[in-house]
Amino acid sequence: MTATRAIDTIGRDVGHALGAFALGVVLLAGFLWAAGFDISGALTALWQGAFGSWYALTSTTLVHATPLLLLGLAFTVGARAGALNIGMEGQFAAGAVAAVAVGVHAGTLPAIVAIPLVLGAGLIAGAAWIAVPVILRARFEITEVISTLLLNFVATAAVSYAVTGPLQEPSRIYPQSAPIARAARLPHFGAGSRLHAGFPIALLIAALLMIVFHRTRWGFRLRAVGSGARAAEIAGGIATTRVVAMALLWSGAIAGLGGAVEVSGVSYALFQNLSPGYGFTAIAVALLGRMRPALVVVAAIMFGALEAGSGAMQRDAAIPAVGIQVVEGVVIVAALIVAWRRPR
């Protein structure tokens, strides 16, 4: 693909993503009108809450976008090989549990050691959590869609057990863990800012995946298997089972890293409902981003803006959160329609 054609393709994909997003906002306006709300006031609150100031952009939109970006990239890695990792909520939770288990004992370590340990624990825990579905698929051809989805419920129960059992805070009153050590917390950008180093880490992973997908043999095999596993195995001699297994393990690892980043950069502790559904929203992010890391970044910021703006809409215009859920649903459907109508 020439550079000009690649630029045209990226520009067209960004246009489609923005179009789907704009359609969602238009339908949100219709929903607000039908429900009798002040459309102008609601959309102004949405904009102000997401992009109205430097603080709104960096401390709300980008903070919300960070876990969505990491999980969107995690889904993308699996989807590139034709595997659907629906269990990112579980891997996110496993990464968060592991990060807290390491972080609360990292008080005597310098930050340059403690932070990589916490993030590494999340990475390994996410990969370990998806290992069972990988084995089930490789040995018994059990689809990962079902196995990873069911493990989400196991992860929810595991978090409940952790915060009322071995990881509960010292007073044993609240169902949450003790805070992790200060040395294990990601640095923030500026005094008063909530934007933490997890966002550039997510951008770095997106850049690395772009290189891996298009500049490495493994990336080529990944795309070949995703385009046609049978043809890749017969004509290309590619070990498709191994390629898919590695893709799912990396998918789980990145999702686990997302949980560790959320603990180390935002919550500093583990509690129930740490994720408000990031694992499911991130699937929409990856779909809107057409499984391309650069576009997944754009889509994650869009959905982060919706999450940030929804708070302002509820606070300043008394709009129910269901309105934002309507927008997210419409964006997904519009993106799918665009993908379906687009010539291949």
Side-chain angles (χ1 to χ4, degrees), residues 70-165:
L70 285 168
L71 296 181
L73 294 172
F75 186 84
T76 295
V77 172
R80 282 287 185 136
L84 299 178
N85 177 14
I86 309 299
M88 293 184 294
E89 279 283 300
Q91 296 133 31
F92 180 93
V97 171
V100 168
V102 173
V104 295
H105 299 294
T108 59
L109 299 174
I112 195 171
V113 175
I115 292 175
L117 280 178
V118 166
L119 300 186
L123 200 78
I124 294 171
W129 194 259
I130 202 174
V132 172
V134 170
I135 294 172
L136 290 176
R137 170 168 174 145
R139 296 294 300 274
F140 306 106
E141 297 185 354
I142 297 176
T143 174
E144 73 285 352
V145 174
I146 301 299
S147 56
T148 56
L149 178 63
L150 292 178
L151 279 177
N152 285 340
F153 301 102
V154 179
T156 300
V159 170
S160 298
Y161 169 73
V163 297
T164 56

Side-chain angles (χ1 to χ4, degrees), residues 274-299:
L274 177 66
S275 167
Y278 288 138
F280 299 112
T281 305
I283 296 175
V285 169
L287 289 175
L288 190 63
R290 300 181 63 80
M291 315 302 172
R292 297 179 181 179
L295 290 178
V296 172
V297 172
V298 176

Side-chain angles (χ1 to χ4, degrees), residues 9 11-24 287-290 295 330-344:
T9 301
R12 191 163 51 246
D13 288 340
V14 170
H16 289 157
L18 292 175
F21 192 77
L23 178 59
L287 289 175
L288 190 63
R290 300 181 63 80
L295 290 178
V330 170
V331 168
I332 296 169
V333 173
L336 292 175
I337 292 174
V338 169
W340 173 67
R341 289 180 57 84
R342 184 179 176 184
R344 299 178 183 276

Side-chain angles (χ1 to χ4, degrees), residues 191-317:
S193 172
R194 296 179 62 239
L195 182 62
H196 52 79
F199 185 68
I201 289 174
L203 291 179
L204 176 62
I205 292 175
L208 289 175
L209 287 180
M210 290 176 62
I211 296 172
V212 168
F213 288 160
H214 298 287
R215 302 292 181 188
T216 68
R217 286 186 178 179
W218 189 72
F220 172 78
R221 291 170 181 157
L222 200 70
R223 290 184 287 121
V225 172
S227 299
R230 187 68 176 163
E233 186 172 8
I234 295 176
I238 297 175
T240 57
T241 301
R242 183 182 302 172
V243 171
V244 172
M246 287 302 299
L248 283 173
L249 287 173
W250 275 112
S251 176
I254 296 173
L257 177 64
V261 165
E262 189 70 4
V263 165
S264 183
V266 179
S267 69
Y268 304 138
L270 180 69
F271 48 84
Q272 295 171 333
N273 301 322
L274 177 66
S275 167
Y278 288 138
F280 299 112
T281 305
I283 296 175
V285 169
L287 289 175
L288 190 63
R290 300 181 63 80
M291 315 302 172
R292 297 179 181 179
L295 290 178
V296 172
V297 172
V298 176
I301 293 175
M302 287 180 180
F303 275 83
L306 281 178
E307 296 285 343
S310 67
M313 288 176 67
Q314 292 179 64
R315 182 179 61 252
D316 299 337

Side-chain angles (χ1 to χ4, degrees), residues 19-32 43 46 306 327 330-331:
F21 192 77
L23 178 59
V25 173
V26 169
L27 291 184
L28 171 63
F31 165 80
L32 295 173
L43 295 183
L46 176 65
L306 281 178
V327 176
V330 170
V331 168

